[in-house]
Amino acid sequence: APHTPLLRGGGAIGHTLSSLYSPALRRAIALALVDVSAAVSGTELRLTLCPSLEAPQFREVAVCVAGLPFLPAPEPATL
């Protein structure tokens, strides 16, 4: 969900910009803005999910910062 706060140690350290489900990874992924202190690959954060028909209450889930790029960099072009 866009603009969902990301929490660490009880305080907000950033928020999501957009998210979607990745069929290839079989999980949700999101693009987010976070404080520099949390921008290290592997940092664990918490995210609060809004209620839905399947889960009618707010719930917190663990999330993990992943580095970019998700795919290998292309080979440089030779002239």
Side-chain angles (χ1 to χ4, degrees), residues 36-57:
V36 172
S37 63
V40 178
S41 185
T43 301
E44 292 190 11
L45 306 172
R46 304 289 296 173
L47 176 121
T48 302
L49 295 175
C50 295
S52 66
L53 291 175
E54 297 83 28
Q57 295 150 351

Side-chain angles (χ1 to χ4, degrees), residues 5-75:
L6 294 165
L7 310 170
R8 185 170 76 174
I13 55 95
H15 64 277
T16 61
L17 297 173
S18 65
S19 61
L20 55 88
Y21 180 78
S22 168
L25 297 174
R26 296 186 190 152
R27 64 184 63 202
I29 59 174
L31 181 63
L33 291 175
V34 295
D35 288 343
V36 172
S37 63
V40 178
S41 185
T43 301
E44 292 190 11
L45 306 172
R46 304 289 296 173
L47 176 121
T48 302
L49 295 175
C50 295
S52 66
L53 291 175
E54 297 83 28
Q57 295 150 351
F58 285 98
R59 59 186 203 258
E60 261 190 25
V61 295
V63 297
C64 184
V65 175
L68 291 175
F70 291 145
L71 301 173
E75 293 293 322

